[in-house]
CSV table of all heavy atoms in Angstrom, one decimal:
chain,number,residue,atom,x,y,z
G,1340,ARG,N,-15.3,10.8,54.5
G,1340,ARG,CA,-14.2,11.6,54.8
G,1340,ARG,C,-13.0,10.8,55.4
G,1340,ARG,O,-13.2,9.8,56.0
G,1340,ARG,CB,-14.5,12.7,55.8
G,1340,ARG,CG,-15.6,13.7,55.3
G,1340,ARG,CD,-15.6,14.8,56.4
G,1340,ARG,NE,-16.7,15.8,56.1
G,1340,ARG,CZ,-17.8,15.9,56.8
G,1340,ARG,NH1,-18.0,15.2,57.7
G,1340,ARG,NH2,-18.7,16.9,56.4
G,1341,LEU,N,-11.8,11.2,54.9
G,1341,LEU,CA,-10.5,10.8,55.5
G,1341,LEU,C,-9.8,12.1,55.9
G,1341,LEU,O,-8.8,12.4,55.4
G,1341,LEU,CB,-9.8,10.0,54.5
G,1341,LEU,CG,-10.5,8.8,53.9
G,1341,LEU,CD1,-9.7,8.2,52.8
G,1341,LEU,CD2,-10.7,7.7,55.0
G,1342,THR,N,-10.3,12.8,56.9
G,1342,THR,CA,-9.9,14.1,57.3
G,1342,THR,C,-8.4,14.2,57.7
G,1342,THR,O,-7.7,15.1,57.3
G,1342,THR,CB,-10.8,14.7,58.4
G,1342,THR,OG1,-12.2,14.6,58.0
G,1342,THR,CG2,-10.4,16.1,58.8
G,1343,SER,N,-8.0,13.1,58.5
G,1343,SER,CA,-6.6,13.1,58.9
G,1343,SER,C,-5.6,13.1,57.7
G,1343,SER,O,-4.5,13.6,57.8
G,1343,SER,CB,-6.3,12.0,59.8
G,1343,SER,OG,-6.5,10.8,59.1
G,1344,GLN,N,-6.1,12.6,56.6
G,1344,GLN,CA,-5.2,12.4,55.4
G,1344,GLN,C,-5.6,13.4,54.3
G,1344,GLN,O,-5.1,13.4,53.2
G,1344,GLN,CB,-5.2,11.0,54.8
G,1344,GLN,CG,-4.5,10.0,55.7
G,1344,GLN,CD,-3.0,10.1,55.6
G,1344,GLN,OE1,-2.4,10.1,54.5
G,1344,GLN,NE2,-2.3,10.3,56.7
G,1345,GLN,N,-6.5,14.3,54.7
G,1345,GLN,CA,-7.0,15.4,53.6
G,1345,GLN,C,-7.5,14.7,52.4
G,1345,GLN,O,-7.3,15.2,51.2
G,1345,GLN,CB,-5.9,16.4,53.4
G,1345,GLN,CG,-5.3,17.1,54.6
G,1345,GLN,CD,-6.4,18.0,55.2
G,1345,GLN,OE1,-6.7,19.0,54.6
G,1345,GLN,NE2,-6.8,17.8,56.4
G,1346,ALA,N,-8.2,13.5,52.5
G,1346,ALA,CA,-8.6,12.8,51.4
G,1346,ALA,C,-10.1,12.4,51.5
G,1346,ALA,O,-10.7,12.7,52.6
G,1346,ALA,CB,-7.8,11.5,51.2
G,1347,MET,N,-10.7,11.8,50.5
G,1347,MET,CA,-12.1,11.3,50.6
G,1347,MET,C,-12.3,10.2,49.6
G,1347,MET,O,-11.6,10.0,48.7
G,1347,MET,CB,-13.0,12.5,50.4
G,1347,MET,CG,-12.9,13.1,49.0
G,1347,MET,SD,-13.8,14.7,48.8
G,1347,MET,CE,-15.4,14.1,49.2
G,1348,ILE,N,-13.4,9.4,49.9
G,1348,ILE,CA,-13.8,8.4,49.0
G,1348,ILE,C,-15.3,8.7,48.6
G,1348,ILE,O,-16.1,9.0,49.5
G,1348,ILE,CB,-13.8,7.0,49.6
G,1348,ILE,CG1,-12.3,6.7,49.9
G,1348,ILE,CG2,-14.4,5.9,48.8
G,1348,ILE,CD1,-12.1,5.4,50.8
G,1349,ASN,N,-15.6,8.6,47.3
G,1349,ASN,CA,-17.0,8.8,46.9
G,1349,ASN,C,-17.4,7.8,45.9
G,1349,ASN,O,-16.6,7.2,45.1
G,1349,ASN,CB,-17.2,10.2,46.4
G,1349,ASN,CG,-16.9,10.3,44.9
G,1349,ASN,OD1,-17.8,10.0,44.0
G,1349,ASN,ND2,-15.7,10.7,44.5
G,1350,ARG,N,-18.7,7.4,46.0
G,1350,ARG,CA,-19.3,6.5,45.0
G,1350,ARG,C,-20.7,7.2,44.6
G,1350,ARG,O,-21.7,6.5,44.6
G,1350,ARG,CB,-19.4,5.1,45.5
G,1350,ARG,CG,-20.1,4.9,46.9
G,1350,ARG,CD,-20.4,3.5,47.1
G,1350,ARG,NE,-21.1,3.3,48.4
G,1350,ARG,CZ,-20.5,2.9,49.5
G,1350,ARG,NH1,-19.2,2.7,49.5
G,1350,ARG,NH2,-21.2,2.7,50.6
G,1351,TYR,N,-20.7,8.4,44.2
G,1351,TYR,CA,-21.9,9.1,43.8
G,1351,TYR,C,-22.6,8.3,42.7
G,1351,TYR,O,-23.8,8.3,42.7
G,1351,TYR,CB,-21.6,10.5,43.2
G,1351,TYR,CG,-21.4,11.6,44.3
G,1351,TYR,CD1,-20.1,12.1,44.6
G,1351,TYR,CD2,-22.5,12.0,45.1
G,1351,TYR,CE1,-19.9,13.1,45.6
G,1351,TYR,CE2,-22.3,13.0,46.1
G,1351,TYR,CZ,-21.0,13.5,46.3
G,1351,TYR,OH,-20.9,14.5,47.2
G,1352,GLY,N,-21.9,7.8,41.7
G,1352,GLY,CA,-22.6,7.1,40.6
G,1352,GLY,C,-23.2,8.1,39.6
G,1352,GLY,O,-24.2,7.7,39.0
G,1353,LEU,N,-22.5,9.2,39.4
G,1353,LEU,CA,-23.0,10.2,38.4
G,1353,LEU,C,-24.5,10.6,38.7
G,1353,LEU,O,-25.3,10.5,37.8
G,1353,LEU,CB,-22.8,9.7,37.1
G,1353,LEU,CG,-21.4,9.7,36.5
G,1353,LEU,CD1,-21.3,9.0,35.2
G,1353,LEU,CD2,-20.8,11.1,36.4
G,1354,ASN,N,-24.8,11.0,39.9
G,1354,ASN,CA,-26.1,11.6,40.1
G,1354,ASN,C,-26.3,12.9,39.4
G,1354,ASN,O,-25.5,13.7,39.4
G,1354,ASN,CB,-26.3,11.8,41.6
G,1354,ASN,CG,-25.3,12.7,42.2
G,1354,ASN,OD1,-24.1,12.5,42.1
G,1354,ASN,ND2,-25.7,13.7,42.9
G,1355,SER,N,-27.3,12.9,38.6
G,1355,SER,CA,-27.5,14.1,37.7
G,1355,SER,C,-29.0,14.5,37.6
G,1355,SER,O,-29.9,13.6,37.7
G,1355,SER,CB,-27.0,13.8,36.4
G,1355,SER,OG,-27.3,14.8,35.4
G,1356,GLU,N,-29.2,15.8,37.4
G,1356,GLU,CA,-30.6,16.2,37.1
G,1356,GLU,C,-31.0,16.1,35.7
G,1356,GLU,O,-32.1,16.4,35.3
G,1356,GLU,CB,-30.8,17.7,37.6
G,1356,GLU,CG,-30.7,17.8,39.1
G,1356,GLU,CD,-30.9,19.2,39.6
G,1356,GLU,OE1,-31.1,20.1,38.7
G,1356,GLU,OE2,-31.0,19.5,40.8
G,1357,GLY,N,-30.0,15.7,34.8
G,1357,GLY,CA,-30.3,15.5,33.5
G,1357,GLY,C,-29.9,16.7,32.6
G,1357,GLY,O,-29.8,17.8,33.0
G,1358,ALA,N,-29.5,16.4,31.3
G,1358,ALA,CA,-29.0,17.4,30.4
G,1358,ALA,C,-30.0,18.6,30.2
G,1358,ALA,O,-29.6,19.7,30.1
G,1358,ALA,CB,-28.6,16.8,29.1
G,1359,ASP,N,-31.3,18.3,30.2
G,1359,ASP,CA,-32.3,19.3,29.9
G,1359,ASP,C,-32.3,20.4,31.0
G,1359,ASP,O,-32.4,21.6,30.8
G,1359,ASP,CB,-33.7,18.7,29.7
G,1359,ASP,CG,-33.8,17.9,28.4
G,1359,ASP,OD1,-34.1,18.5,27.4
G,1359,ASP,OD2,-33.5,16.7,28.4
G,1360,HIS,N,-32.3,19.9,32.3
G,1360,HIS,CA,-32.3,20.8,33.4
G,1360,HIS,C,-31.1,21.7,33.5
G,1360,HIS,O,-31.1,22.9,33.8
G,1360,HIS,CB,-32.5,20.0,34.7
G,1360,HIS,CG,-33.9,19.4,34.9
G,1360,HIS,ND1,-35.0,20.1,35.3
G,1360,HIS,CD2,-34.4,18.2,34.6
G,1360,HIS,CE1,-36.0,19.4,35.4
G,1360,HIS,NE2,-35.7,18.2,34.9
G,1361,VAL,N,-29.9,21.0,33.3
G,1361,VAL,CA,-28.7,21.8,33.3
G,1361,VAL,C,-28.6,22.8,32.2
G,1361,VAL,O,-28.2,24.0,32.4
G,1361,VAL,CB,-27.5,20.8,33.3
G,1361,VAL,CG1,-26.1,21.6,33.2
G,1361,VAL,CG2,-27.4,19.9,34.5
G,1362,ALA,N,-29.1,22.4,31.0
G,1362,ALA,CA,-29.1,23.3,29.9
G,1362,ALA,C,-30.0,24.5,30.1
G,1362,ALA,O,-29.7,25.6,29.8
G,1362,ALA,CB,-29.5,22.5,28.6
G,1363,MET,N,-31.1,24.3,30.8
G,1363,MET,CA,-32.0,25.3,31.1
G,1363,MET,C,-31.4,26.4,32.0
G,1363,MET,O,-31.5,27.5,31.8
G,1363,MET,CB,-33.3,24.8,31.8
G,1363,MET,CG,-34.3,25.8,32.3
G,1363,MET,SD,-35.6,25.1,33.3
G,1363,MET,CE,-34.7,24.6,34.7
G,1364,ARG,N,-30.6,25.9,33.1
G,1364,ARG,CA,-29.9,26.8,33.9
G,1364,ARG,C,-28.9,27.6,33.2
G,1364,ARG,O,-28.8,28.8,33.4
G,1364,ARG,CB,-29.3,26.1,35.1
G,1364,ARG,CG,-30.3,25.5,36.1
G,1364,ARG,CD,-29.5,25.1,37.3
G,1364,ARG,NE,-30.5,24.6,38.3
G,1364,ARG,CZ,-30.8,23.3,38.5
G,1364,ARG,NH1,-30.1,22.4,37.7
G,1364,ARG,NH2,-31.7,22.8,39.3
G,1365,LEU,N,-28.1,27.0,32.3
G,1365,LEU,CA,-27.1,27.7,31.5
G,1365,LEU,C,-27.8,28.7,30.6
G,1365,LEU,O,-27.2,29.7,30.4
G,1365,LEU,CB,-26.2,26.7,30.8
G,1365,LEU,CG,-25.4,25.7,31.7
G,1365,LEU,CD1,-24.6,24.8,30.9
G,1365,LEU,CD2,-24.4,26.6,32.6
G,1366,ARG,N,-28.9,28.2,30.0
G,1366,ARG,CA,-29.5,29.1,29.0
G,1366,ARG,C,-30.0,30.4,29.8
G,1366,ARG,O,-29.9,31.5,29.3
G,1366,ARG,CB,-30.7,28.4,28.3
G,1366,ARG,CG,-31.5,29.4,27.4
G,1366,ARG,CD,-32.6,28.6,26.7
G,1366,ARG,NE,-33.7,28.2,27.6
G,1366,ARG,CZ,-33.9,27.0,27.9
G,1366,ARG,NH1,-33.3,26.0,27.4
G,1366,ARG,NH2,-34.9,26.7,28.7
G,1367,ASN,N,-30.7,30.2,30.9
G,1367,ASN,CA,-31.2,31.4,31.7
G,1367,ASN,C,-30.0,32.3,32.1
G,1367,ASN,O,-30.1,33.5,32.1
G,1367,ASN,CB,-31.9,30.9,32.9
G,1367,ASN,CG,-33.2,30.2,32.6
G,1367,ASN,OD1,-33.8,30.4,31.5
G,1367,ASN,ND2,-33.7,29.4,33.5
G,1368,ARG,N,-28.8,31.6,32.4
G,1368,ARG,CA,-27.7,32.5,32.7
G,1368,ARG,C,-27.2,33.3,31.6
G,1368,ARG,O,-26.9,34.5,31.7
G,1368,ARG,CB,-26.6,31.5,33.1
G,1368,ARG,CG,-25.2,32.2,33.5
G,1368,ARG,CD,-24.2,31.2,34.0
G,1368,ARG,NE,-22.9,31.8,34.2
G,1368,ARG,CZ,-21.9,31.7,33.3
G,1368,ARG,NH1,-22.1,31.1,32.2
G,1368,ARG,NH2,-20.8,32.3,33.6
G,1369,VAL,N,-27.2,32.8,30.4
G,1369,VAL,CA,-26.9,33.6,29.2
G,1369,VAL,C,-27.8,34.7,28.9
G,1369,VAL,O,-27.5,35.8,28.6
G,1369,VAL,CB,-26.8,32.6,27.9
G,1369,VAL,CG1,-26.6,33.4,26.6
G,1369,VAL,CG2,-25.6,31.7,28.0
G,1370,ARG,N,-29.1,34.3,29.1
G,1370,ARG,CA,-30.2,35.4,28.9
G,1370,ARG,C,-30.1,36.5,29.9
G,1370,ARG,O,-30.4,37.7,29.6
G,1370,ARG,CB,-31.5,34.8,28.8
G,1370,ARG,CG,-31.7,33.8,27.6
G,1370,ARG,CD,-33.2,33.4,27.5
G,1370,ARG,NE,-33.3,32.5,26.3
G,1370,ARG,CZ,-34.4,32.1,25.8
G,1370,ARG,NH1,-35.6,32.5,26.3
G,1370,ARG,NH2,-34.5,31.4,24.7
G,1371,ARG,N,-29.8,36.2,31.2
G,1371,ARG,CA,-29.6,37.3,32.1
G,1371,ARG,C,-28.4,38.1,31.8
G,1371,ARG,O,-28.5,39.4,31.9
G,1371,ARG,CB,-29.4,36.6,33.6
G,1371,ARG,CG,-30.6,36.0,34.2
G,1371,ARG,CD,-30.4,35.8,35.7
G,1371,ARG,NE,-29.3,34.8,35.9
G,1371,ARG,CZ,-29.5,33.5,36.0
G,1371,ARG,NH1,-30.7,33.0,35.9
G,1371,ARG,NH2,-28.4,32.8,36.2
G,1372,PHE,N,-27.3,37.5,31.3
G,1372,PHE,CA,-26.2,38.3,30.8
G,1372,PHE,C,-26.6,39.2,29.6
G,1372,PHE,O,-26.2,40.3,29.6
G,1372,PHE,CB,-25.1,37.3,30.4
G,1372,PHE,CG,-23.9,38.0,29.9
G,1372,PHE,CD1,-22.9,38.6,30.7
G,1372,PHE,CD2,-23.6,38.1,28.6
G,1372,PHE,CE1,-21.8,39.2,30.3
G,1372,PHE,CE2,-22.5,38.7,28.0
G,1372,PHE,CZ,-21.5,39.2,28.9
G,1373,ALA,N,-27.3,38.6,28.7
G,1373,ALA,CA,-27.8,39.5,27.5
G,1373,ALA,C,-28.6,40.6,28.0
G,1373,ALA,O,-28.6,41.7,27.5
G,1373,ALA,CB,-28.5,38.6,26.6
G,1374,HIS,N,-29.5,40.4,29.0
G,1374,HIS,CA,-30.4,41.4,29.5
G,1374,HIS,C,-29.6,42.5,30.2
G,1374,HIS,O,-29.8,43.7,30.0
G,1374,HIS,CB,-31.3,40.8,30.5
G,1374,HIS,CG,-32.3,41.9,31.1
G,1374,HIS,ND1,-33.4,42.4,30.4
G,1374,HIS,CD2,-32.3,42.5,32.4
G,1374,HIS,CE1,-34.0,43.2,31.2
G,1374,HIS,NE2,-33.4,43.3,32.3
G,1375,SER,N,-28.4,42.2,30.8
G,1375,SER,CA,-27.6,43.1,31.5
G,1375,SER,C,-26.9,44.0,30.5
G,1375,SER,O,-26.5,45.2,30.8
G,1375,SER,CB,-26.6,42.5,32.3
G,1375,SER,OG,-25.6,41.8,31.6
G,1376,LEU,N,-26.7,43.5,29.3
G,1376,LEU,CA,-26.2,44.3,28.1
G,1376,LEU,C,-27.2,45.2,27.4
G,1376,LEU,O,-26.8,46.0,26.5
G,1376,LEU,CB,-25.5,43.5,27.1
G,1376,LEU,CG,-24.3,42.6,27.7
G,1376,LEU,CD1,-23.8,41.7,26.5
G,1376,LEU,CD2,-23.2,43.4,28.3
G,1377,GLY,N,-28.4,45.1,27.7
G,1377,GLY,CA,-29.4,45.8,27.1
G,1377,GLY,C,-30.0,45.1,25.8
G,1377,GLY,O,-30.6,45.7,24.9
G,1378,LEU,N,-29.6,43.8,25.6
G,1378,LEU,CA,-30.1,43.1,24.4
G,1378,LEU,C,-31.5,42.4,24.6
G,1378,LEU,O,-32.0,41.9,23.6
G,1378,LEU,CB,-29.0,42.0,24.0
G,1378,LEU,CG,-27.7,42.5,23.7
G,1378,LEU,CD1,-26.7,41.3,23.6
G,1378,LEU,CD2,-27.7,43.2,22.3
G,1379,GLY,N,-32.0,42.4,25.8
G,1379,GLY,CA,-33.2,41.7,26.1
G,1379,GLY,C,-32.9,40.3,26.6
G,1379,GLY,O,-31.7,40.0,26.9
G,1380,ASP,N,-33.9,39.5,26.9
G,1380,ASP,CA,-33.7,38.2,27.5
G,1380,ASP,C,-34.5,37.1,26.7
G,1380,ASP,O,-34.9,36.1,27.4
G,1380,ASP,CB,-34.1,38.3,29.0
G,1380,ASP,CG,-35.6,38.7,29.2
G,1380,ASP,OD1,-36.2,39.0,28.1
G,1380,ASP,OD2,-36.0,38.9,30.3
G,1381,ASP,N,-34.6,37.3,25.5
G,1381,ASP,CA,-35.3,36.3,24.7
G,1381,ASP,C,-34.3,35.5,23.9
G,1381,ASP,O,-33.1,35.6,24.0
G,1381,ASP,CB,-36.3,36.9,23.8
G,1381,ASP,CG,-35.8,38.1,22.8
G,1381,ASP,OD1,-34.5,38.2,22.9
G,1381,ASP,OD2,-36.5,38.7,22.1
């Protein structure tokens, strides 16, 4: 943190759970939305 200047420095290095895990979350989100419309969740 550089709070006094409302700034920050990061070197995360693109930490990621991987494309498959993120895709799974997004797919489940779409299926929950479909279920809310009465289309099912498959």
Side-chain angles (χ1 to χ4, degrees):
R1340 294 189 184 110
L1341 304 170
T1342 306
S1343 62
Q1344 289 285 304
Q1345 303 291 293
M1347 61 189 301
I1348 294 172
N1349 87 81
R1350 53 169 181 262
Y1351 277 109
L1353 287 171
N1354 57 307
S1355 172
E1356 294 183 356
D1359 292 271
H1360 287 279
V1361 175
M1363 178 187 65
R1364 288 195 180 95
L1365 294 177
R1366 180 179 65 247
N1367 291 340
R1368 177 173 174 264
V1369 172
R1370 294 191 178 190
R1371 287 194 299 269
F1372 178 79
H1374 181 75
S1375 70
L1376 299 178
L1378 295 171
D1380 56 2
D1381 56 5

